[in-house]
Amino acid sequence: QVQLVESGGGLVQAGGSLRLSCAFSGRTFSNYVMGWFRQAPGKEREFVARISRSGSSTYYADSVKGRFTISRDNAKNTVYLQMNSLKPEDTAVYYCAADRYSDFEYDYWGQGTQVTVSS
């Protein structure tokens, strides 16, 4: 069974940076496409970023393009989300997710980590 554990969330001022990490265990990490999602209070969960199995391809929501960077270290079974130039509207619970078949259906989800950006 795959387990995903996010870390790195916290409180930061607008314009600041945070790096989220997601530790993967239970299966072969490099077999999974990985994604980051977020959910703000009162809003639906939304896609943030996605990275291919090898890390060679990445995709971003327009709202974070140019500010966030997704990366992975297959030797460490970890996916990262570097968040720069944070805005108050980035405040949300951030979740990592694993997609086994690269079909945009995420099979496993982490418990989430809170990111709060103050103005």
Side-chain angles (χ1 to χ4, degrees), residues 6-14 16-21 81 83 86-88 90-94 112-118:
E6 301 97 334
S7 61
L11 173 64
V12 63
Q13 289 188 334
S17 298
L18 281 175
R19 188 176 83 154
L20 305 183
S21 300
L81 186 67
M83 306 186 294
L86 283 161
K87 305 175 181 180
D90 295 318
T91 295
V93 177
Y94 283 71
T113 185
Q114 176 71 45
V115 172
T116 303
V117 184
S118 63

Side-chain angles (χ1 to χ4, degrees), residues 63-83:
S63 58
V64 307
K65 203 172 293 184
R67 299 188 299 122
F68 289 12
T69 302
I70 188 172
S71 62
R72 66 190 294 161
D73 186 335
N74 285 349
K76 295 184 177 180
N77 293 348
T78 302
V79 61
Y80 305 96
L81 186 67
Q82 178 67 44
M83 306 186 294

Side-chain angles (χ1 to χ4, degrees), residues 15-37:
S17 298
L18 281 175
R19 188 176 83 154
L20 305 183
S21 300
C22 173
F24 177 106
S25 63
R27 291 289 187 272
T28 302
F29 180 59
S30 58
N31 287 345
Y32 289 77
V33 174
M34 298 299 296
W36 284 97
F37 292 76

